[in-house]
mmCIF file of all heavy atoms in Angstrom:
data_model
loop_
_atom_site.group_PDB
_atom_site.id
_atom_site.type_symbol
_atom_site.label_atom_id
_atom_site.label_comp_id
_atom_site.label_asym_id
_atom_site.label_seq_id
_atom_site.Cartn_x
_atom_site.Cartn_y
_atom_site.Cartn_z
ATOM 1 N N ALA A 1 -6.324 10.043 0.003
ATOM 2 C CA ALA A 1 -6.524 11.456 0.245
ATOM 3 C C ALA A 1 -7.844 11.905 -0.406
ATOM 4 O O ALA A 1 -8.386 11.146 -1.269
ATOM 5 C CB ALA A 1 -5.381 12.299 -0.443
ATOM 6 N N PRO A 2 -8.447 12.943 0.068
ATOM 7 C CA PRO A 2 -9.695 13.426 -0.603
ATOM 8 C C PRO A 2 -9.425 13.561 -2.114
ATOM 9 O O PRO A 2 -8.402 13.743 -2.550
ATOM 10 C CB PRO A 2 -9.876 14.810 0.002
ATOM 11 C CG PRO A 2 -9.272 14.682 1.348
ATOM 12 C CD PRO A 2 -8.087 13.832 1.192
ATOM 13 N N ASN A 3 -10.582 13.393 -2.813
ATOM 14 C CA ASN A 3 -10.398 13.236 -4.317
ATOM 15 C C ASN A 3 -10.333 14.630 -5.013
ATOM 16 O O ASN A 3 -11.097 14.985 -5.844
ATOM 17 C CB ASN A 3 -11.722 12.545 -4.842
ATOM 18 C CG ASN A 3 -11.532 11.984 -6.216
ATOM 19 O OD1 ASN A 3 -10.384 12.049 -6.761
ATOM 20 N ND2 ASN A 3 -12.622 11.536 -6.838
ATOM 21 N N ASP A 4 -9.155 15.256 -4.674
ATOM 22 C CA ASP A 4 -8.830 16.474 -5.440
ATOM 23 C C ASP A 4 -7.287 16.459 -5.552
ATOM 24 O O ASP A 4 -6.546 15.875 -4.750
ATOM 25 C CB ASP A 4 -9.310 17.731 -4.722
ATOM 26 C CG ASP A 4 -8.775 17.874 -3.333
ATOM 27 O OD1 ASP A 4 -7.537 18.381 -3.272
ATOM 28 O OD2 ASP A 4 -9.410 17.559 -2.350
ATOM 29 N N VAL A 5 -6.782 17.164 -6.556
ATOM 30 C CA VAL A 5 -5.357 17.076 -6.868
ATOM 31 C C VAL A 5 -4.462 17.606 -5.792
ATOM 32 O O VAL A 5 -3.410 17.058 -5.418
ATOM 33 C CB VAL A 5 -5.044 17.841 -8.175
ATOM 34 C CG1 VAL A 5 -3.567 18.053 -8.387
ATOM 35 C CG2 VAL A 5 -5.690 17.084 -9.381
ATOM 36 N N GLU A 6 -4.901 18.751 -5.178
ATOM 37 C CA GLU A 6 -4.046 19.368 -4.061
ATOM 38 C C GLU A 6 -3.890 18.420 -2.901
ATOM 39 O O GLU A 6 -2.791 18.279 -2.367
ATOM 40 C CB GLU A 6 -4.719 20.643 -3.640
ATOM 41 C CG GLU A 6 -4.643 21.765 -4.680
ATOM 42 C CD GLU A 6 -5.677 21.561 -5.777
ATOM 43 O OE1 GLU A 6 -6.646 20.807 -5.620
ATOM 44 O OE2 GLU A 6 -5.533 22.186 -6.865
ATOM 45 N N SER A 7 -4.914 17.780 -2.475
ATOM 46 C CA SER A 7 -4.835 16.791 -1.418
ATOM 47 C C SER A 7 -3.949 15.631 -1.676
ATOM 48 O O SER A 7 -3.189 15.153 -0.867
ATOM 49 C CB SER A 7 -6.279 16.431 -0.953
ATOM 50 O OG SER A 7 -7.084 17.441 -0.435
ATOM 51 N N LEU A 8 -4.130 15.115 -2.917
ATOM 52 C CA LEU A 8 -3.402 13.927 -3.364
ATOM 53 C C LEU A 8 -1.854 14.319 -3.451
ATOM 54 O O LEU A 8 -1.050 13.535 -3.009
ATOM 55 C CB LEU A 8 -3.952 13.451 -4.698
ATOM 56 C CG LEU A 8 -3.256 12.184 -5.208
ATOM 57 C CD1 LEU A 8 -3.681 10.990 -4.323
ATOM 58 C CD2 LEU A 8 -3.789 11.817 -6.668
ATOM 59 N N ALA A 9 -1.602 15.548 -3.946
ATOM 60 C CA ALA A 9 -0.253 15.992 -4.071
ATOM 61 C C ALA A 9 0.405 16.124 -2.702
ATOM 62 O O ALA A 9 1.626 15.761 -2.508
ATOM 63 C CB ALA A 9 -0.113 17.260 -4.850
ATOM 64 N N ALA A 10 -0.292 16.681 -1.750
ATOM 65 C CA ALA A 10 0.212 16.868 -0.441
ATOM 66 C C ALA A 10 0.506 15.576 0.246
ATOM 67 O O ALA A 10 1.548 15.357 0.892
ATOM 68 C CB ALA A 10 -0.828 17.690 0.430
ATOM 69 N N LEU A 11 -0.411 14.597 0.078
ATOM 70 C CA LEU A 11 -0.129 13.205 0.711
ATOM 71 C C LEU A 11 1.028 12.581 -0.020
ATOM 72 O O LEU A 11 1.847 11.923 0.676
ATOM 73 C CB LEU A 11 -1.416 12.372 0.585
ATOM 74 C CG LEU A 11 -1.253 11.011 1.213
ATOM 75 C CD1 LEU A 11 -1.009 11.084 2.749
ATOM 76 C CD2 LEU A 11 -2.610 10.261 0.995
ATOM 77 N N THR A 12 1.113 12.783 -1.275
ATOM 78 C CA THR A 12 2.218 12.166 -2.013
ATOM 79 C C THR A 12 3.608 12.766 -1.554
ATOM 80 O O THR A 12 4.563 11.956 -1.275
ATOM 81 C CB THR A 12 2.108 12.525 -3.538
ATOM 82 O OG1 THR A 12 0.890 11.914 -4.000
ATOM 83 C CG2 THR A 12 3.301 11.923 -4.290
ATOM 84 N N PHE A 13 3.674 14.008 -1.276
ATOM 85 C CA PHE A 13 4.933 14.583 -0.803
ATOM 86 C C PHE A 13 5.261 14.026 0.638
ATOM 87 O O PHE A 13 6.337 13.682 0.931
ATOM 88 C CB PHE A 13 4.783 16.152 -0.782
ATOM 89 C CG PHE A 13 5.964 16.796 -0.129
ATOM 90 C CD1 PHE A 13 7.160 16.972 -0.920
ATOM 91 C CD2 PHE A 13 5.987 17.346 1.094
ATOM 92 C CE1 PHE A 13 8.321 17.591 -0.392
ATOM 93 C CE2 PHE A 13 7.151 17.887 1.605
ATOM 94 C CZ PHE A 13 8.276 18.010 0.835
ATOM 95 N N GLU A 14 4.226 14.064 1.517
ATOM 96 C CA GLU A 14 4.430 13.602 2.832
ATOM 97 C C GLU A 14 4.905 12.119 2.900
ATOM 98 O O GLU A 14 5.774 11.818 3.656
ATOM 99 C CB GLU A 14 3.083 13.693 3.675
ATOM 100 C CG GLU A 14 2.658 15.177 3.883
ATOM 101 C CD GLU A 14 1.250 15.250 4.457
ATOM 102 O OE1 GLU A 14 0.720 14.164 4.859
ATOM 103 O OE2 GLU A 14 0.691 16.347 4.584
ATOM 104 N N THR A 15 4.350 11.300 2.070
ATOM 105 C CA THR A 15 4.592 9.905 2.046
ATOM 106 C C THR A 15 5.979 9.618 1.452
ATOM 107 O O THR A 15 6.799 8.826 2.063
ATOM 108 C CB THR A 15 3.518 9.095 1.294
ATOM 109 O OG1 THR A 15 2.227 9.419 1.854
ATOM 110 C CG2 THR A 15 3.790 7.600 1.340
ATOM 111 N N THR A 16 6.248 10.189 0.332
ATOM 112 C CA THR A 16 7.498 9.760 -0.395
ATOM 113 C C THR A 16 8.764 10.423 0.143
ATOM 114 O O THR A 16 9.804 10.050 -0.159
ATOM 115 C CB THR A 16 7.387 10.184 -1.901
ATOM 116 O OG1 THR A 16 7.139 11.545 -2.017
ATOM 117 C CG2 THR A 16 6.309 9.385 -2.588
ATOM 118 N N THR A 17 8.589 11.411 1.031
ATOM 119 C CA THR A 17 9.748 12.030 1.613
ATOM 120 C C THR A 17 10.022 11.495 3.139
ATOM 121 O O THR A 17 10.886 11.990 3.779
ATOM 122 C CB THR A 17 9.656 13.552 1.675
ATOM 123 O OG1 THR A 17 8.445 13.936 2.328
ATOM 124 C CG2 THR A 17 9.608 14.109 0.295
ATOM 125 N N SER A 18 9.196 10.554 3.517
ATOM 126 C CA SER A 18 9.276 9.953 4.859
ATOM 127 C C SER A 18 9.749 8.490 4.710
ATOM 128 O O SER A 18 8.933 7.616 4.286
ATOM 129 C CB SER A 18 8.029 10.046 5.588
ATOM 130 O OG SER A 18 8.034 9.274 6.787
ATOM 131 N N ASP A 19 10.981 8.254 5.071
ATOM 132 C CA ASP A 19 11.509 6.790 5.049
ATOM 133 C C ASP A 19 10.636 5.991 6.007
ATOM 134 O O ASP A 19 10.345 4.780 5.693
ATOM 135 C CB ASP A 19 12.935 6.739 5.448
ATOM 136 C CG ASP A 19 13.863 7.282 4.341
ATOM 137 O OD1 ASP A 19 13.382 7.549 3.211
ATOM 138 O OD2 ASP A 19 15.120 7.309 4.578
ATOM 139 N N ALA A 20 10.232 6.497 7.188
ATOM 140 C CA ALA A 20 9.454 5.740 8.055
ATOM 141 C C ALA A 20 8.109 5.310 7.534
ATOM 142 O O ALA A 20 7.694 4.129 7.696
ATOM 143 C CB ALA A 20 9.214 6.531 9.410
ATOM 144 N N GLU A 21 7.479 6.185 6.802
ATOM 145 C CA GLU A 21 6.116 5.914 6.236
ATOM 146 C C GLU A 21 6.347 4.882 5.025
ATOM 147 O O GLU A 21 5.553 3.994 4.918
ATOM 148 C CB GLU A 21 5.463 7.223 5.756
ATOM 149 C CG GLU A 21 4.116 7.036 5.166
ATOM 150 C CD GLU A 21 2.994 6.496 6.185
ATOM 151 O OE1 GLU A 21 3.390 6.207 7.346
ATOM 152 O OE2 GLU A 21 1.889 6.404 5.783
ATOM 153 N N LEU A 22 7.338 5.130 4.288
ATOM 154 C CA LEU A 22 7.621 4.162 3.126
ATOM 155 C C LEU A 22 7.926 2.793 3.653
ATOM 156 O O LEU A 22 7.454 1.767 3.085
ATOM 157 C CB LEU A 22 8.718 4.698 2.295
ATOM 158 C CG LEU A 22 8.413 5.879 1.344
ATOM 159 C CD1 LEU A 22 9.629 6.326 0.628
ATOM 160 C CD2 LEU A 22 7.330 5.554 0.324
ATOM 161 N N GLU A 23 8.658 2.744 4.727
ATOM 162 C CA GLU A 23 8.994 1.385 5.283
ATOM 163 C C GLU A 23 7.732 0.706 5.852
ATOM 164 O O GLU A 23 7.542 -0.519 5.667
ATOM 165 C CB GLU A 23 10.038 1.581 6.418
ATOM 166 C CG GLU A 23 11.412 1.898 5.895
ATOM 167 C CD GLU A 23 12.486 2.230 7.017
ATOM 168 O OE1 GLU A 23 12.034 2.134 8.210
ATOM 169 O OE2 GLU A 23 13.545 2.517 6.685
ATOM 170 N N ARG A 24 6.879 1.546 6.543
ATOM 171 C CA ARG A 24 5.685 0.904 7.030
ATOM 172 C C ARG A 24 4.766 0.421 5.979
ATOM 173 O O ARG A 24 4.310 -0.721 6.020
ATOM 174 C CB ARG A 24 4.836 1.976 7.846
ATOM 175 C CG ARG A 24 3.532 1.502 8.501
ATOM 176 C CD ARG A 24 2.759 2.563 9.133
ATOM 177 N NE ARG A 24 2.215 3.531 8.175
ATOM 178 C CZ ARG A 24 1.049 3.299 7.525
ATOM 179 N NH1 ARG A 24 0.416 2.147 7.774
ATOM 180 N NH2 ARG A 24 0.621 4.199 6.680
ATOM 181 N N LEU A 25 4.543 1.212 4.988
ATOM 182 C CA LEU A 25 3.700 0.802 3.783
ATOM 183 C C LEU A 25 4.286 -0.441 3.071
ATOM 184 O O LEU A 25 3.658 -1.345 2.621
ATOM 185 C CB LEU A 25 3.487 1.901 2.872
ATOM 186 C CG LEU A 25 2.516 3.040 3.476
ATOM 187 C CD1 LEU A 25 2.631 4.241 2.547
ATOM 188 C CD2 LEU A 25 1.115 2.519 3.658
ATOM 189 N N GLY A 26 5.674 -0.386 2.975
ATOM 190 C CA GLY A 26 6.399 -1.428 2.223
ATOM 191 C C GLY A 26 6.255 -2.744 2.928
ATOM 192 O O GLY A 26 6.043 -3.799 2.273
ATOM 193 N N GLU A 27 6.263 -2.736 4.271
ATOM 194 C CA GLU A 27 6.107 -4.003 4.967
ATOM 195 C C GLU A 27 4.664 -4.475 4.832
ATOM 196 O O GLU A 27 4.430 -5.679 4.739
ATOM 197 C CB GLU A 27 6.406 -3.740 6.507
ATOM 198 C CG GLU A 27 7.847 -3.479 6.873
ATOM 199 C CD GLU A 27 8.111 -3.014 8.196
ATOM 200 O OE1 GLU A 27 7.135 -2.845 8.961
ATOM 201 O OE2 GLU A 27 9.298 -2.795 8.601
ATOM 202 N N GLU A 28 3.775 -3.631 4.760
ATOM 203 C CA GLU A 28 2.331 -4.014 4.587
ATOM 204 C C GLU A 28 2.126 -4.690 3.174
ATOM 205 O O GLU A 28 1.407 -5.617 3.076
ATOM 206 C CB GLU A 28 1.370 -2.859 4.734
ATOM 207 C CG GLU A 28 1.288 -2.369 6.193
ATOM 208 C CD GLU A 28 0.424 -1.197 6.396
ATOM 209 O OE1 GLU A 28 -0.021 -0.577 5.291
ATOM 210 O OE2 GLU A 28 0.114 -0.779 7.471
ATOM 211 N N THR A 29 2.774 -4.111 2.199
ATOM 212 C CA THR A 29 2.638 -4.703 0.918
ATOM 213 C C THR A 29 3.273 -6.117 0.842
ATOM 214 O O THR A 29 2.682 -6.987 0.149
ATOM 215 C CB THR A 29 3.358 -3.902 -0.258
ATOM 216 O OG1 THR A 29 4.775 -3.833 -0.045
ATOM 217 C CG2 THR A 29 2.844 -2.458 -0.231
ATOM 218 N N LEU A 30 4.306 -6.348 1.546
ATOM 219 C CA LEU A 30 4.924 -7.708 1.612
ATOM 220 C C LEU A 30 3.994 -8.733 2.275
ATOM 221 O O LEU A 30 3.911 -9.881 1.891
ATOM 222 C CB LEU A 30 6.248 -7.591 2.334
ATOM 223 C CG LEU A 30 7.356 -6.738 1.614
ATOM 224 C CD1 LEU A 30 8.611 -6.772 2.395
ATOM 225 C CD2 LEU A 30 7.512 -7.205 0.136
ATOM 226 N N LEU A 31 3.330 -8.240 3.358
ATOM 227 C CA LEU A 31 2.324 -9.099 4.000
ATOM 228 C C LEU A 31 1.171 -9.500 3.103
ATOM 229 O O LEU A 31 0.764 -10.604 3.057
ATOM 230 C CB LEU A 31 1.800 -8.449 5.286
ATOM 231 C CG LEU A 31 2.797 -8.201 6.430
ATOM 232 C CD1 LEU A 31 2.143 -7.466 7.537
ATOM 233 C CD2 LEU A 31 3.279 -9.653 6.986
ATOM 234 N N LEU A 32 0.717 -8.517 2.333
ATOM 235 C CA LEU A 32 -0.329 -8.746 1.393
ATOM 236 C C LEU A 32 0.153 -9.678 0.263
ATOM 237 O O LEU A 32 -0.558 -10.655 -0.133
ATOM 238 C CB LEU A 32 -0.848 -7.473 0.723
ATOM 239 C CG LEU A 32 -1.690 -6.565 1.671
ATOM 240 C CD1 LEU A 32 -1.822 -5.168 1.001
ATOM 241 C CD2 LEU A 32 -2.958 -7.129 1.871
ATOM 242 N N ARG A 33 1.353 -9.567 -0.193
ATOM 243 C CA ARG A 33 1.923 -10.389 -1.302
ATOM 244 C C ARG A 33 1.988 -11.806 -0.756
ATOM 245 O O ARG A 33 1.741 -12.793 -1.540
ATOM 246 C CB ARG A 33 3.314 -9.864 -1.644
ATOM 247 C CG ARG A 33 3.878 -10.481 -2.801
ATOM 248 C CD ARG A 33 5.179 -9.844 -3.314
ATOM 249 N NE ARG A 33 6.261 -10.004 -2.285
ATOM 250 C CZ ARG A 33 7.419 -9.484 -2.403
ATOM 251 N NH1 ARG A 33 7.730 -8.634 -3.450
ATOM 252 N NH2 ARG A 33 8.386 -9.624 -1.493
ATOM 253 N N ASP A 34 2.333 -12.040 0.450
ATOM 254 C CA ASP A 34 2.385 -13.382 1.031
ATOM 255 C C ASP A 34 1.010 -14.053 1.285
ATOM 256 O O ASP A 34 0.881 -15.265 1.095
ATOM 257 C CB ASP A 34 3.199 -13.419 2.330
ATOM 258 C CG ASP A 34 4.700 -13.067 2.152
ATOM 259 O OD1 ASP A 34 5.188 -13.180 1.019
ATOM 260 O OD2 ASP A 34 5.325 -12.666 3.076
ATOM 261 N N SER A 35 0.057 -13.227 1.582
ATOM 262 C CA SER A 35 -1.245 -13.783 1.939
ATOM 263 C C SER A 35 -2.228 -13.916 0.827
ATOM 264 O O SER A 35 -3.235 -14.545 0.883
ATOM 265 C CB SER A 35 -1.814 -12.912 3.138
ATOM 266 O OG SER A 35 -2.128 -11.649 2.674
ATOM 267 N N ARG A 36 -1.961 -13.118 -0.260
ATOM 268 C CA ARG A 36 -2.857 -13.082 -1.371
ATOM 269 C C ARG A 36 -2.243 -13.592 -2.632
ATOM 270 O O ARG A 36 -2.145 -12.904 -3.697
ATOM 271 C CB ARG A 36 -3.392 -11.621 -1.598
ATOM 272 C CG ARG A 36 -4.376 -11.184 -0.514
ATOM 273 C CD ARG A 36 -5.147 -9.976 -1.032
ATOM 274 N NE ARG A 36 -5.872 -9.310 0.128
ATOM 275 C CZ ARG A 36 -6.395 -8.099 0.009
ATOM 276 N NH1 ARG A 36 -6.189 -7.426 -1.092
ATOM 277 N NH2 ARG A 36 -7.006 -7.655 1.000
ATOM 278 N N THR A 37 -1.705 -14.807 -2.577
ATOM 279 C CA THR A 37 -1.259 -15.389 -3.755
ATOM 280 C C THR A 37 -2.391 -15.792 -4.682
ATOM 281 O O THR A 37 -3.562 -15.881 -4.286
ATOM 282 C CB THR A 37 -0.422 -16.666 -3.468
ATOM 283 O OG1 THR A 37 -1.323 -17.644 -2.831
ATOM 284 C CG2 THR A 37 0.689 -16.308 -2.494
ATOM 285 N N VAL A 38 -2.031 -16.048 -5.942
ATOM 286 C CA VAL A 38 -3.087 -16.468 -6.919
ATOM 287 C C VAL A 38 -3.735 -17.810 -6.454
ATOM 288 O O VAL A 38 -4.873 -18.096 -6.595
ATOM 289 C CB VAL A 38 -2.555 -16.597 -8.349
ATOM 290 C CG1 VAL A 38 -1.378 -17.664 -8.447
ATOM 291 C CG2 VAL A 38 -3.655 -16.878 -9.327
ATOM 292 N N GLU A 39 -2.855 -18.656 -5.865
ATOM 293 C CA GLU A 39 -3.400 -19.916 -5.315
ATOM 294 C C GLU A 39 -4.404 -19.734 -4.216
ATOM 295 O O GLU A 39 -5.440 -20.427 -4.142
ATOM 296 C CB GLU A 39 -2.243 -20.836 -4.767
ATOM 297 C CG GLU A 39 -1.310 -21.368 -5.888
ATOM 298 C CD GLU A 39 -0.318 -20.325 -6.397
ATOM 299 O OE1 GLU A 39 -0.164 -19.249 -5.778
ATOM 300 O OE2 GLU A 39 0.290 -20.587 -7.427
ATOM 301 N N ASP A 40 -4.168 -18.774 -3.284
ATOM 302 C CA ASP A 40 -5.025 -18.468 -2.257
ATOM 303 C C ASP A 40 -6.418 -17.979 -2.786
ATOM 304 O O ASP A 40 -7.473 -18.345 -2.325
ATOM 305 C CB ASP A 40 -4.516 -17.410 -1.330
ATOM 306 C CG ASP A 40 -5.469 -16.957 -0.219
ATOM 307 O OD1 ASP A 40 -5.684 -17.714 0.704
ATOM 308 O OD2 ASP A 40 -6.087 -15.815 -0.354
ATOM 309 N N THR A 41 -6.401 -17.070 -3.804
ATOM 310 C CA THR A 41 -7.599 -16.588 -4.364
ATOM 311 C C THR A 41 -8.393 -17.693 -5.013
ATOM 312 O O THR A 41 -9.594 -17.855 -4.948
ATOM 313 C CB THR A 41 -7.300 -15.451 -5.442
ATOM 314 O OG1 THR A 41 -6.784 -14.329 -4.723
ATOM 315 C CG2 THR A 41 -8.594 -15.016 -6.191
ATOM 316 N N VAL A 42 -7.681 -18.512 -5.801
ATOM 317 C CA VAL A 42 -8.278 -19.643 -6.582
ATOM 318 C C VAL A 42 -8.917 -20.686 -5.574
ATOM 319 O O VAL A 42 -9.957 -21.198 -5.861
ATOM 320 C CB VAL A 42 -7.279 -20.298 -7.483
ATOM 321 C CG1 VAL A 42 -7.862 -21.621 -7.985
ATOM 322 C CG2 VAL A 42 -6.949 -19.395 -8.686
ATOM 323 N N SER A 43 -8.232 -20.798 -4.417
ATOM 324 C CA SER A 43 -8.777 -21.802 -3.468
ATOM 325 C C SER A 43 -10.180 -21.432 -2.959
ATOM 326 O O SER A 43 -11.025 -22.313 -2.625
ATOM 327 C CB SER A 43 -7.772 -21.894 -2.258
ATOM 328 O OG SER A 43 -7.863 -20.803 -1.411
ATOM 329 N N ARG A 44 -10.506 -20.147 -2.949
ATOM 330 C CA ARG A 44 -11.811 -19.674 -2.518
ATOM 331 C C ARG A 44 -12.852 -20.102 -3.499
ATOM 332 O O ARG A 44 -13.982 -20.424 -3.202
ATOM 333 C CB ARG A 44 -11.797 -18.175 -2.228
ATOM 334 C CG ARG A 44 -10.878 -17.790 -1.093
ATOM 335 C CD ARG A 44 -10.757 -16.254 -0.947
ATOM 336 N NE ARG A 44 -9.783 -15.918 0.055
ATOM 337 C CZ ARG A 44 -10.115 -15.811 1.332
ATOM 338 N NH1 ARG A 44 -11.397 -15.951 1.751
ATOM 339 N NH2 ARG A 44 -9.179 -15.435 2.256
ATOM 340 N N PHE A 45 -12.506 -19.997 -4.804
ATOM 341 C CA PHE A 45 -13.349 -20.404 -5.888
ATOM 342 C C PHE A 45 -13.469 -21.907 -5.828
ATOM 343 O O PHE A 45 -14.615 -22.426 -6.043
ATOM 344 C CB PHE A 45 -12.814 -19.941 -7.226
ATOM 345 C CG PHE A 45 -12.948 -18.442 -7.501
ATOM 346 C CD1 PHE A 45 -12.077 -17.553 -6.845
ATOM 347 C CD2 PHE A 45 -13.855 -17.939 -8.417
ATOM 348 C CE1 PHE A 45 -12.220 -16.199 -7.131
ATOM 349 C CE2 PHE A 45 -13.951 -16.608 -8.673
ATOM 350 C CZ PHE A 45 -13.154 -15.713 -8.029
#
């Protein structure tokens, strides 16, 4: 959200009261968790 408290609070309310949005974001975090293991990061080094 824009870098002010009111905008951040509005987005927080919209996100945390929407099961659909939480599910969408939750699925994305799981994909990141699977693709960005410490082994994957170290392999680039």
Side-chain angles (χ1 to χ4, degrees):
N3 195 8
D4 62 80
V5 169
E6 291 73 20
S7 297
L8 187 64
L11 182 60
T12 298
F13 178 79
E14 293 170 7
T15 303
T16 57
T17 56
S18 169
D19 284 356
E21 182 67 354
L22 287 176
E23 288 173 0
R24 181 185 71 83
L25 292 169
E27 290 172 359
E28 291 177 352
T29 67
L30 298 181
L31 291 173
L32 288 169
R33 189 172 66 183
D34 291 341
S35 64
R36 288 197 192 165
T37 63
V38 63
E39 290 79 13
D40 176 73
T41 295
V42 168
S43 72
R44 297 173 183 272
F45 288 73

